[in-house]
Amino acid sequence: MKFIIQRDRLVHSVQEVMKAVTSRTTIPILTGIKINTTTEGITLTGSDSDISIQSFIPAEEDGNEIVEVQASGDIVLNARFFSEIVKKLPMDTVEIEVQTNFQTIIRSGKAEFNLNGLDPEEYPHLPIIEEANLFKLPTDLLKTLIRQTVFAVSTSETRPILTGVNLKVENDELTCIATDSHRLAMRTANIESKINGTYSVVIPGKSLNELSKILDDTNELIEIVITENQVLFKAKNLLFFSRLLEGNYPDTSRLIPTDSKTDVIVKTKELLQAIDRASLLAKENRNNVVKLLTHDGGVIEVSSNTPEVGKVVEEVVAEAIEGEELKISFSAKFVMDALKALEGTDIKISFTGAMRPFVICPLHDDRMLQLILPVRTY
Amino acid sequence: MKFIIQRDRLVHSVQEVMKAVTSRTTIPILTGIKINTTTEGITLTGSDSDISIQSFIPAEEDGNEIVEVQASGDIVLNARFFSEIVKKLPMDTVEIEVQTNFQTIIRSGKAEFNLNGLDPEEYPHLPIIEEANLFKLPTDLLKTLIRQTVFAVSTSETRPILTGVNLKVENDELTCIATDSHRLAMRTANIESKINGTYSVVIPGKSLNELSKILDDTNELIEIVITENQVLFKAKNLLFFSRLLEGNYPDTSRLIPTDSKTDVIVKTKELLQAIDRASLLAKENRNNVVKLLTHDGGVIEVSSNTPEVGKVVEEVVAEAIEGEELKISFSAKFVMDALKALEGTDIKISFTGAMRPFVICPLHDDRMLQLILPVRTY
């Protein structure tokens, strides 16, 4: 194997596949990045066996030569050393050559590295995905869907299925749901689909966080392929594989109240900042609890009280308050997470009493929804 | 005590004095910031008993009212809560009022905090400094002196005196020296002095690091007052006190070789980057050792070798090499720290053999000096 490559392209692809590599693996070969060289170009692969990422660098792009391939072949190089080396090389091009016994020379300018490579035959094969069930959506929309839901997954392993985001595909609509059983985030969007029937899978939250980091903010379509135990995201020159979580995701539709007793419409940013301030003195509590009261005259009072530190109270003028008077307590963190995830300058909060879950939506948009369970204090 | 203040000025001063406050103190009152209010303005104080910082906000500045003082007095407020609160207040002005039992109201817009204050009588008095031995230098020059030396202090408490920087004042010259006994950094600068005779004190490295963080990059003069066990830095509206380390600083002048057997002149950046690259494969070693060889034809070879990972070799073209051929090994980290600390595009390294300390200076400037002990490998 021997090729000369533009250094910035190599650095970029190495950083992409590094997102899947962990030093805490028990499988030594997975501490490496696999490099596959053909006349078409270079393919880099990183994997921690849950997530696998493949980045392709074409030999030629838009008539420009990116890689000069002199001999095809494969090698696996220690990911940590290789990524640090390519970042710090002195020149704009790099020459990589595999000699006997997987010894690999990396040359750039007057710097020459000689790395001990690993046997590429030992590197696990990536799952073979049949592209039968495929749908597409704009990449930036997928990133938004992930951002608006993934924060609500459970971080506890007591119910492993809740550490993932539930993706449901039905009638050319994709719905993402995440819940840790104290709050729930849901978002629906239209897709271009080749799927017949309905699908429901659960993708680990960690996989979606890593995916989101390497996707560009572009409206180019990304393809999503679902199989029995894997999901594959296909972007330009990039394949992202994740295993699926096993088990049935709970039916969350019954949790979402359909009626309400108190409706509040308020500016998202004003409420967010008032809760943020009130939470400053609530941090000593494990639950970070803040109280909300509705007053006559369309005013919301946000407050918290930690006797050993002090108390804080703030009034926020609502756009509208309808229905019964309300006193409710909740986790400031959960409500702030929800408000940050929603779009739009105004939100509507629908309460069904101090002990019942409440729903936060953007005004006039029911395709995004945040549900939060209150905390009993009154 | 009652006053109304511009919020950004309060935030800035709170951040300054917070540099001295630690949550790990065993003295409860020191978890607080002391606020002293007079008709002149507001003085904030933070201290961890090693370092004390006082920041003054004048009631009026350049004809503009910064603080409207309504009642003089003192209070101590929990530093962590107070600093977070003032940062997040909604309006441009803040009203602070102390009521009975040290209860303190912080008002801004429609937000009202009620903090439990502490008795200001319990707050320790700052050292009283006689301003007999005083010298001045530009603030940015002081920051440079700190930056060029403080990294070389010892982090080990086996010889506590080496955790500080030695400041020597003699003949209107200030010399700063730091050493951890494996390397030494020294810098000399001219000062404006009211000092008769010579002074030599040792300031904890930690104090100088904190001082450097809060000083502006300005060429305004800063005053430095030395007493038996304290040093005071006086900038505009800012007092920074630090205790001194007790004991005699070792005489380091004998360590610095006066002759040399091999002199190398090389571009600082080229050598720094080559050593940085060579160190990539040397990180597994505790000492991070890199080798340097001089070759005929004015070429330096920088290399490292970790058999289980690989090896790297790079040639750097020197501006000049004079004297005996040389093979030497050293800590890449120490030499990189030294090269980063020096100014100028070219440096001169003077070697006196593979087992003897070597000296790095900017070309044609002997007021900055970095000395490094080699590592035995050849």
Side-chain angles (χ1 to χ4, degrees):
Chain A
M1 190 186 97
K2 186 174 179 185
F3 61 87
I4 298 168
I5 188 167
Q6 290 182 12
R7 189 174 69 90
D8 55 349
R9 293 296 292 260
L10 182 62
V11 169
H12 179 76
S13 284
V14 167
Q15 277 171 344
E16 285 184 335
V17 303
M18 278 295 280
K19 293 275 189 298
V21 180
T22 165
S23 55
R24 278 167 290 137
T25 179
T26 51
I27 310 166
I29 193 83
L30 292 185
T31 61
I33 289 175
K34 186 180 169 187
I35 307 175
N36 167 262
T37 306
T38 69
T39 50
E40 304 294 308
I42 310 294
T43 305
L44 301 177
T45 309
S47 176
D48 67 358
S49 70
D50 283 348
I51 301 173
S52 300
I53 303 175
Q54 219 165 52
S55 179
F56 178 69
I57 306 165
E60 202 188 285
E61 196 178 65
D62 305 332
N64 297 317
E65 184 176 59
I66 314 290
V67 192
E68 181 191 331
V69 177
Q70 297 182 351
S72 299
D74 297 275
I75 191 70
V76 174
L77 296 177
N78 180 293
R80 188 163 63 84
F81 289 112
F82 184 57
S83 65
E84 287 190 25
I85 289 168
V86 295
K87 251 187 285 181
K88 293 197 168 167
L89 288 174
M91 306 302 278
D92 290 341
T93 58
V94 189
E95 179 184 319
I96 298 184
E97 178 180 2
V98 179
Q99 299 179 327
T100 51
N101 291 319
F102 314 119
Q103 286 295 311
T104 305
I105 310 288
I106 304 168
R107 267 188 217 99
S108 183
K110 294 197 169 178
E112 181 174 304
F113 290 80
N114 194 329
L115 270 190
N116 304 340
L118 296 166
D119 184 355
E121 293 295 319
E122 285 180 29
Y123 201 86
H125 292 284
L126 293 191
I128 293 161
I129 304 273
E130 269 195 56
E131 307 202 353
N133 298 309
L134 184 148
F135 64 93
K136 296 180 192 180
L137 76 169
T139 306
D140 47 7
L141 178 59
L142 175 66
K143 288 184 74 167
T144 302
L145 262 74
I146 294 173
R147 185 180 65 80
Q148 291 181 325
T149 53
V150 74
F151 67 87
V153 300
S154 171
T155 53
S156 142
E157 284 293 331
T158 42
R159 287 183 71 190
I161 196 81
L162 296 187
T163 63
V165 174
N166 182 205
L167 259 74
K168 292 198 287 193
V169 180
E170 192 174 359
N171 301 332
D172 291 343
E173 271 195 350
L174 169 66
T175 302
C176 294
I177 301 170
T179 180
D180 60 5
S181 74
H182 301 287
R183 53 164 164 185
L184 178 146
M186 188 167 86
R187 169 74 201 261
T188 300
N190 292 333
I191 54 171
E192 287 180 30
S193 166
K194 283 190 191 172
I195 295 184
N196 297 318
T198 66
Y199 282 84
S200 175
V201 295
V202 184
I203 304 176
K206 185 177 169 298
S207 300
L208 292 174
N209 277 324
E210 295 300 336
L211 173 66
S212 199
K213 281 183 210 159
I214 60 173
L215 291 181
D216 293 328
D217 282 307
T218 154
N219 58 5
E220 279 181 44
L221 293 178
I222 186 166
E223 293 182 9
I224 305 177
V225 189
I226 292 173
T227 71
E228 206 177 327
N229 51 21
Q230 289 277 336
V231 58
L232 166 61
F233 297 87
K234 292 176 74 175
K236 190 187 171 196
N237 292 334
L238 186 77
L239 300 182
F240 186 103
F241 299 81
S242 169
R243 75 179 172 94
L244 298 174
L245 292 177
E246 284 174 38
N248 291 316
Y249 201 78
D251 177 14
T252 55
S253 60
R254 291 168 303 117
L255 298 176
I256 299 161
T258 48
D259 57 343
S260 69
K261 293 185 178 163
T262 314
D263 287 328
V264 173
I265 296 171
V266 64
K267 295 224 174 296
T268 316
K269 201 174 154 191
E270 284 187 18
L271 182 64
L272 177 62
Q273 291 179 343
I275 293 175
D276 191 12
R277 279 189 284 273
S279 77
L280 289 177
L281 296 195
K283 284 204 175 147
E284 303 295 279
N285 299 338
R286 197 167 51 86
N287 281 319
N288 197 13
V289 173
V290 160
K291 292 181 189 180
L292 185 148
L293 276 74
T294 59
H295 284 310
D296 289 343
V299 168
I300 302 169
E301 182 187 299
V302 178
S303 66
S304 83
N305 186 2
T306 302
E308 55 273 30
V309 181
K311 60 188 175 189
V312 47
V313 56
E314 178 162 354
E315 289 187 349
V316 179
V317 178
E319 308 285 299
I321 301 179
E322 278 174 21
E324 296 177 7
E325 208 169 79
L326 179 84
K327 284 186 183 183
I328 196 166
S329 299
F330 48 75
S331 153
K333 182 182 181 303
F334 286 178
V335 174
M336 289 197 291
D337 283 350
L339 292 174
K340 285 177 196 165
L342 293 174
E343 291 165 3
T345 53
D346 292 273
I347 47 123
K348 179 178 170 182
I349 317 181
S350 306
F351 298 95
T352 7
M355 298 306 164
R356 304 268 304 137
F358 55 95
V359 172
I360 314 178
C361 286
L363 203 58
H364 314 306
D365 183 355
D366 59 355
R367 307 195 96 193
M368 294 177 213
L369 175 152
Q370 301 284 339
L371 176 135
I372 290 159
L373 265 69
V375 176
R376 285 166 197 263
T377 58
Y378 282 109
Chain B
M1 188 186 99
K2 187 174 178 185
F3 62 88
I4 298 168
I5 188 167
Q6 291 183 11
R7 190 174 67 89
D8 56 348
R9 293 296 292 259
L10 182 61
V11 169
H12 182 251
S13 283
V14 167
Q15 279 171 343
E16 284 184 336
V17 303
M18 278 294 280
K19 292 275 188 298
V21 179
T22 165
S23 55
R24 278 166 291 136
T25 178
T26 51
I27 309 165
I29 193 83
L30 292 186
T31 61
I33 288 175
K34 185 180 171 188
I35 306 175
N36 167 262
T37 305
T38 69
T39 50
E40 304 295 308
I42 310 295
T43 304
L44 302 178
T45 309
S47 176
D48 68 358
S49 73
D50 282 349
I51 300 173
S52 300
I53 303 175
Q54 220 166 51
S55 180
F56 178 69
I57 307 166
E60 203 188 283
E61 195 179 66
D62 304 331
N64 298 316
E65 185 176 59
I66 314 290
V67 192
E68 182 191 333
V69 177
Q70 298 181 353
S72 299
D74 297 277
I75 191 69
V76 175
L77 296 177
N78 180 291
R80 188 163 63 85
F81 288 112
F82 184 58
S83 65
E84 287 190 25
I85 289 168
V86 294
K87 253 188 282 182
K88 293 197 168 168
L89 288 173
M91 306 302 279
D92 290 341
T93 60
V94 189
E95 180 183 320
I96 298 183
E97 180 179 2
V98 179
Q99 299 179 328
T100 51
N101 290 321
F102 314 119
Q103 285 296 309
T104 305
I105 310 289
I106 304 167
R107 267 188 217 99
S108 183
K110 293 196 169 177
E112 181 173 304
F113 289 79
N114 193 328
L115 270 191
N116 304 341
L118 295 166
D119 184 355
E121 294 293 320
E122 284 180 29
Y123 201 86
H125 292 285
L126 292 192
I128 293 162
I129 304 273
E130 270 197 54
E131 306 202 356
N133 297 311
L134 183 147
F135 63 94
K136 297 178 191 180
L137 76 169
T139 306
D140 46 8
L141 178 59
L142 176 64
K143 287 184 76 166
T144 301
L145 262 74
I146 294 173
R147 184 180 65 79
Q148 291 181 326
T149 53
V150 74
F151 66 89
V153 300
S154 172
T155 53
S156 143
E157 285 293 333
T158 43
R159 286 183 70 190
I161 196 81
L162 295 187
T163 64
V165 175
N166 182 206
L167 258 75
K168 292 198 287 192
V169 180
E170 191 174 0
N171 300 331
D172 291 343
E173 270 195 349
L174 169 66
T175 302
C176 295
I177 301 170
T179 180
D180 60 6
S181 75
H182 301 287
R183 54 165 163 185
L184 178 146
M186 187 167 86
R187 169 74 200 261
T188 300
N190 293 334
I191 54 172
E192 288 181 28
S193 165
K194 284 190 189 170
I195 295 184
N196 297 319
T198 67
Y199 282 84
S200 174
V201 295
V202 185
I203 304 175
K206 185 177 169 299
S207 300
L208 292 174
N209 278 322
E210 296 301 334
L211 173 66
S212 199
K213 282 183 209 158
I214 60 173
L215 291 181
D216 293 328
D217 282 307
T218 154
N219 59 6
E220 280 181 45
L221 292 177
I222 185 165
E223 293 182 9
I224 305 177
V225 188
I226 291 173
T227 71
E228 205 178 326
N229 51 20
Q230 289 277 336
V231 59
L232 165 60
F233 297 88
K234 292 177 76 175
K236 189 186 173 198
N237 291 334
L238 186 78
L239 299 182
F240 185 103
F241 299 80
S242 169
R243 74 177 173 96
L244 298 175
L245 292 177
E246 284 173 38
N248 290 318
Y249 201 79
D251 177 14
T252 54
S253 60
R254 290 169 304 118
L255 298 175
I256 299 163
T258 47
D259 57 344
S260 69
K261 292 185 180 165
T262 314
D263 288 328
V264 174
I265 296 170
V266 63
K267 295 225 175 294
T268 316
K269 201 173 153 193
E270 284 187 20
L271 182 64
L272 177 61
Q273 291 178 344
I275 293 175
D276 192 10
R277 280 188 283 273
S279 78
L280 289 177
L281 296 194
K283 281 200 177 150
E284 303 295 279
N285 299 338
R286 196 168 51 87
N287 281 318
N288 198 11
V289 174
V290 159
K291 292 181 188 180
L292 185 147
L293 275 73
T294 59
H295 282 312
D296 288 342
V299 169
I300 302 168
E301 181 186 300
V302 178
S303 65
S304 83
N305 187 1
T306 304
E308 55 273 28
V309 181
K311 60 188 176 189
V312 47
V313 57
E314 179 162 354
E315 289 188 349
V316 179
V317 179
E319 308 285 298
I321 302 180
E322 278 174 22
E324 295 177 9
E325 206 169 81
L326 180 83
K327 285 184 182 184
I328 196 166
S329 298
F330 48 75
S331 154
K333 181 180 183 304
F334 286 178
V335 174
M336 288 197 291
D337 284 349
L339 293 174
K340 285 177 195 163
L342 293 174
E343 291 165 4
T345 52
D346 292 273
I347 47 124
K348 178 177 169 182
I349 317 182
S350 305
F351 298 95
T352 3
M355 299 305 163
R356 302 268 304 138
F358 54 95
V359 172
I360 314 178
C361 287
L363 203 58
H364 315 304
D365 183 356
D366 59 353
R367 305 194 98 193
M368 296 177 213
L369 176 151
Q370 303 284 339
L371 176 135
I372 290 160
L373 265 69
V375 177
R376 283 167 198 262
T377 57
Y378 283 108

